[in-house]
Amino acid sequence: MDSDEMLGDVVASIVEKILMNIGFDAHAKISNILEAHNLNFSDCYKNPDVLNFALKEVFDHDYISIVEKIRKEFGGIVDDDQRLVKFMQKLSE
């Protein structure tokens, strides 16, 4: 497993954890949107634009609070890894 695959798995775990903390319904809605794009949570790292779209569809203007929860879960590493910086920038658009 290369580092991008591992990072994809970490992103998936964090996103799913946050959504499940919000509720099963939120997780299911995001999952359905991802599936409609032939993606799953592990694909979110390489497709932040689709996750961004899904979060906006489900949470409307509150999507940014979810993005901030994701950022907090990464802790300091989000600022140290340029791949995560780019991911978070796309997710925040």
Side-chain angles (χ1 to χ4, degrees), residues 78-91:
V78 76
D79 298 320
D80 295 335
D81 190 316
Q82 284 304 308
R83 298 170 300 174
L84 287 177
V85 169
K86 288 179 185 177
F87 170 79
M88 292 306 302
Q89 286 173 339
K90 283 283 194 187
L91 201 57

Side-chain angles (χ1 to χ4, degrees), residues 20-33:
M20 288 303 290
N21 284 341
I22 294 168
F24 179 78
D25 192 45
H27 182 279
K29 287 178 181 177
I30 298 292
S31 180
N32 288 337
I33 294 170

Side-chain angles (χ1 to χ4, degrees), residues 1-11 44-49 70-71 74 76-92:
M1 180 180 286
D2 68 21
S3 65
D4 274 349
E5 286 180 46
M6 276 196 300
L7 202 48
D9 290 343
V10 169
V11 167
C44 289
Y45 166 66
K46 290 186 178 178
N47 300 279
D49 51 327
I70 293 168
R71 181 183 308 282
F74 279 117
I77 69 164
V78 76
D79 298 320
D80 295 335
D81 190 316
Q82 284 304 308
R83 298 170 300 174
L84 287 177
V85 169
K86 288 179 185 177
F87 170 79
M88 292 306 302
Q89 286 173 339
K90 283 283 194 187
L91 201 57
S92 299

